[in-house]
């Protein structure tokens, strides 16, 4: 616990904490695409977006996705930064409905949401050009 890491205050810091290595390990296991440098680039991008946000406005994951790279990896870095209070401290996402108390079983909160999404598009028998 405690305060924020040094890099949350100094955006240009190259420091990567042990906590980051544990919580976003995919960038620190020797993969050619997901490197510590790539992690730093994503972290800096998200921190810069956060610092440009109007005071009290939640930084949504979707706002971060213009950055080149793996959408899921960027999303995980966003989740990590949020979990330690580097971004969105004290703010709740506006679009997320309140969650029910967590249960041990993992289930999608809306089992038929995928079916609803498909119904928006007219069905086509031939593939798109």
């Amino acid at each position: 616990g405690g305060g924020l890491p040094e890099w949350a205050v100094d955006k240009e810091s190259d420091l990567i904490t042990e906590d980051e290595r544990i919580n976003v390990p995919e960038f620190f296991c020797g993969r050619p695409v997901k490197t510590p440098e790539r992690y730093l680039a994503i972290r800096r991008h998200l921190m810069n977006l956060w610092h440009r946000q109007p005071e009290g406005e939640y930084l949504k994951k979707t706002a971060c996705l213009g950055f080149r790279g793996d959408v899921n990896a960027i999303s995980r870095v966003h989740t990590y930064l949020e979990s330690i209070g580097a971004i969105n401290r004290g703010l709740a996402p506006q679009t997320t409905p309140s969650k029910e108390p967590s249960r041990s079983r993992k289930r999608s909160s809306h089992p038929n949401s995928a079916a609803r999404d498909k119904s928006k598009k007219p069905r086509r028998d031939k593939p798109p050009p």
Side-chain angles (χ1 to χ4, degrees):
L4 289 173
E6 170 196 311
W7 58 257
V9 180
D10 174 12
K11 291 185 299 200
E12 297 308 308
S13 172
D14 286 336
L15 178 77
I16 294 172
T17 64
E18 192 57 34
D19 193 49
E20 289 172 281
R21 292 176 190 277
I22 292 166
N23 284 284
V24 202
E26 67 203 84
F27 293 97
F28 309 104
C29 57
R31 287 174 159 174
V33 177
K34 292 184 178 170
T35 61
E37 293 75 24
R38 182 75 188 136
Y39 171 76
L40 283 173
I42 294 170
R43 185 183 77 190
R44 279 198 189 110
H45 176 68
L46 298 186
M47 293 302 291
N48 284 329
L49 286 174
W50 169 242
H51 287 291
R52 289 200 299 260
Q53 283 284 102
E55 181 92 19
E57 195 170 303
Y58 182 85
L59 178 62
K60 296 180 190 152
K61 285 183 181 178
T62 51
C64 309
L65 300 182
F67 195 61
R68 207 165 47 84
D70 174 350
V71 170
N72 294 316
I74 294 167
S75 174
R76 284 189 287 274
V77 175
H78 180 285
T79 299
Y80 171 73
L81 295 178
E82 200 172 65
S83 75
I84 63 165
I87 63 172
N88 294 334
R89 178 174 270 193
L91 299 176
Q94 292 98 334
T95 54
T96 307
S98 60
K99 290 183 178 167
E100 295 174 354
S102 60
R103 299 193 176 111
S104 57
R105 284 178 286 145
K106 279 191 171 184
R107 277 179 39 182
S108 158
S109 54
H110 300 289
N112 58 358
S113 60
R116 248 187 279 128
D117 289 347
K118 286 178 192 159
S119 66
K120 289 178 191 167
K121 291 182 185 160
R123 256 183 105 160
R124 289 191 185 153
D125 293 323
K126 44 187 179 171

